[in-house]
């Protein structure tokens, strides 16, 4: 039940200087940071991370987007962390992401708008989609020795 999941604050979140506000949302929910780093990935790494999307029409724009500046990579740990993080992040398209979610609160544009421009939808965050994806992505972004086991105040309240 205790899972680890990968979150990326994409280049738009970093360049808009809202990393702290976004991290606060996960922190408030009691998720534990077990790994964190800033990385400027290249196109090869993008193809590894987005292996499932490389053949899709939107991939070219996505690669341009994810490599345009550094991202902040975080490995979170918590009860059903994969699902809980996705709930906090919200649906992929900011236009349809409800208020209260990160994508719904900090962006508003649509696939319709970005597809016409041939650009990726700038939706601030990446979050692993399911537990299998999370295992692969955490291993891709973090060495086991860079992930930490420690207690937080939440451990006493939820475990
Ligand atoms: O990030 P998420 O898992 O919610 O969505 P995805 O379907 O795995 O797509 C990965 C990323 O590709 C999205 O977060 C968008 O940034 C981008 N994307 C896009 O620009 N246009 C699409 N039609 C679909 C995805
Ligand atoms: Mg995905």
């Amino acid at each position: 039940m205790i899972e680890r999941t990968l979150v990326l604050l994409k280049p738009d979140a970093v360049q808009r200087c809202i990393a702290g506000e976004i991290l606060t949302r996960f922190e408030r929910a009691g998720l534990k940071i077990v790994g964190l780093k800033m990385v400027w990935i290249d196109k090869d790494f993008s193809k590894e991370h987005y292996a499932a999307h490389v053949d899709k029409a939107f991939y070219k724009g996505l690669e341009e987007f994810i490599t345009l500046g550094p991202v902040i990579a975080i490995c979170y740990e918590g009860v059903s962390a994969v699902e809980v993080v996705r709930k906090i992040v919200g649906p992929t398209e900011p236009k349809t992401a409800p208020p209260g979610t990160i994508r719904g609160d900090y962006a508003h544009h649509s696939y319709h708008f970005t597809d016409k421009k041939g650009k990726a939808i700038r939706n601030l965050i990446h979050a692993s989609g399911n537990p299998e994806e999370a295992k692969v992505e955490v291993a891709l972004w973090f060495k086991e020795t860079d992930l930490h086991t420690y207690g937080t105040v939440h451990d006493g309240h939820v475990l």
Side-chain angles (χ1 to χ4, degrees):
M1 253 198 190
I2 305 278
E3 295 172 345
R4 287 178 168 180
T5 190
L6 180 78
V7 166
L8 304 177
L9 307 194
K10 291 176 173 177
D12 54 338
V14 174
Q15 292 177 15
R16 288 174 57 188
C17 305
I18 53 174
E21 287 186 41
I22 292 173
L23 293 181
T24 297
R25 293 183 169 221
F26 297 114
E27 206 163 49
R28 276 197 317 227
L31 290 152
K32 186 189 292 183
I33 295 173
V34 296
L36 186 148
K37 62 182 176 181
M38 185 174 238
V39 195
W40 194 332
I41 68 166
D42 60 17
K43 292 181 176 183
D44 289 342
F45 196 87
S46 170
K47 289 185 182 76
E48 278 193 69
H49 173 70
Y50 282 125
H53 296 318
V54 281
D55 297 326
K56 296 187 182 156
F58 63 82
Y59 179 74
K60 192 171 171 287
L62 177 58
E63 184 180 85
E64 193 183 317
F65 169 38
I66 203 69
T67 59
L68 69 81
V71 304
I72 295 173
I74 308 112
C75 178
Y76 280 109
E77 186 179 274
V79 178
S80 303
V82 178
E83 187 185 333
V84 169
V85 164
R86 289 289 296 202
K87 178 193 70 174
I88 294 169
V89 167
T92 308
E93 185 189 41
K95 176 174 172 278
T96 51
T101 65
I102 294 165
R103 286 164 167 172
D105 283 351
Y106 289 95
H108 71 278
H109 41 256
S110 63
Y111 287 135
H112 182 65
F113 179 78
T114 53
D115 285 353
K116 267 210 315 214
K117 286 180 164 279
K119 291 196 159 191
I121 199 144
R122 282 158 201 225
N123 53 6
L124 304 148
I125 296 259
H126 167 81
S128 305
N130 56 59
E132 295 69 42
E133 207 175 280
K135 280 200 178 67
V136 172
E137 291 180 353
V138 168
L140 177 66
W141 284 81
F142 289 97
K143 291 186 281 193
E144 195 52 46
T145 47
D146 289 336
L147 298 174
H148 301 281
T149 300
Y150 65 99
T152 68
V153 291
H154 296 290
D155 294 336
H157 295 280
V158 300
L159 301 181

